[in-house]
Amino acid sequence: MGYGKRIDTLCSLLAPVKTFADVGCDHGFCTEYMLENGLCEYAVFSDISKGSLAKAEALLAPFVAAEKAKSVLGGGFYGVPSDIDEVLIAGMGGAEIIAILSDSKTGFMPKRFVLQPMLNADKVRKFLLENGGYIERDFTFADGKFYDVIVGGRAGEKQTAPYTDDEYEFGRENLQTKPAAFVERTKKQLANLETYLAAANMQEESRKQLIQRKKRLQGVLDICD
């Protein structure tokens, strides 16, 4: 695909659909990928930033002219129909993604989604499974930094077995398949925690909590060995 590892990974997870929406599209590369490869018939690409949307509009101008794509200046699902077949939301915080999905005026659980939260992936997983969604893929990958991606859709015939606390925090697929990026990130988290515990002065209760966190991370790594 040639967009760079992060965008290529996201594109590889997108399914052929009739209609597609890229929310917070930034450069518009994922929409270009879908349209150029005939993976959707029509796309909506949106961003709250005029500058970002202008970049995407320039890239996607031929598709807009052919009425195969539409640009929307606005936040969240503004301008995105709730019957859209597939939604990509990438590069936002987990709290922001949850706010988009749960917005009282425009929010909905997409038929199919690819979500890439920059923070709080655990909260996104929990929200999805508690609000009519299912999770089909859920893993960590690396491209200069570590990223979590969650693939799934609106629950119906497809359902997700209940998650454990560890699966919410770390991702079920990570714990089952132990991808190298997930193991590397967990090792770095553990090393940083050990360094902090050795150097910092703190209240006893705080130290106990961090020691418990250390044991939990070590337990995850033990499973991955």
Side-chain angles (χ1 to χ4, degrees):
M1 286 169 270
Y3 294 114
K5 185 176 179 182
R6 173 177 168 266
I7 299 300
D8 285 353
T9 299
L10 295 174
C11 288
S12 73
L13 296 168
L14 296 171
V17 289
K18 186 174 182 180
T19 56
F20 169 73
D22 186 353
V23 175
C25 64
D26 193 17
H27 32 59
F29 291 148
C30 293
T31 301
E32 180 187 52
Y33 168 80
M34 291 292 286
L35 290 164
E36 278 198 343
N37 290 281
L39 298 177
C40 70
E41 296 178 14
Y42 184 78
V44 177
F45 58 100
S46 69
D47 208 289
I48 200 168
S49 162
K50 277 187 178 182
S52 292
L53 191 64
K55 290 187 295 183
E57 287 173 334
L59 179 71
L60 300 166
F63 298 106
V64 174
E67 298 185 344
K68 291 185 176 181
K70 173 186 177 183
S71 69
V72 176
L73 178 62
F77 281 152
Y78 175 79
V80 177
S82 60
D83 62 351
I84 201 93
D85 292 324
E86 182 174 50
V87 170
L88 169 68
I89 310 177
M92 298 185 194
E96 191 172 359
I97 291 174
I98 291 170
I100 289 170
L101 297 173
S102 61
D103 185 274
S104 61
K105 293 183 179 179
T106 60
F108 59 90
M109 184 63 65
K111 293 179 184 177
R112 188 178 192 274
F113 55 72
V114 176
L115 308 177
Q116 186 256 295
M118 299 298 288
L119 296 167
N120 299 318
D122 56 331
K123 292 182 172 59
V124 177
R125 296 178 188 112
K126 195 169 184 64
F127 175 84
L128 293 170
L129 296 185
E130 291 181 350
N131 291 274
Y134 73 90
I135 296 174
E136 118 191 352
R137 302 235 23 219
D138 178 7
F139 64 94
T140 301
F141 67 95
D143 181 19
K145 61 175 71 174
F146 298 104
Y147 299 97
D148 290 302
V149 64
I150 304 168
V151 182
R154 190 183 302 163
E157 293 183 8
K158 293 184 178 181
Q159 300 283 339
T160 302
Y163 267 38
T164 65
D165 288 344
D166 280 351
E167 287 172 335
Y168 276 127
E169 180 172 358
F170 300 107
R172 175 173 287 172
E173 185 172 345
N174 281 333
L175 294 175
Q176 291 178 344
T177 66
K178 308 166 185 66
F182 170 68
V183 175
E184 182 184 355
R185 182 177 67 180
T186 306
K187 286 181 177 178
K188 287 187 175 182
Q189 290 171 337
L190 180 58
N192 290 338
L193 183 55
E194 288 175 335
T195 299
Y196 183 72
L197 276 167
N201 293 319
M202 66 188 77
Q203 293 182 348
E204 187 60 29
E205 185 58 34
S206 296
R207 180 172 292 278
K208 286 180 180 179
Q209 290 176 1
L210 290 178
I211 289 172
Q212 286 300 115
R213 175 66 178 165
K214 176 184 171 181
K215 289 179 180 178
R216 191 169 191 188
L217 291 174
Q218 187 60 63
V220 169
L221 290 175
D222 290 344
I223 293 171
C224 293
D225 285 341

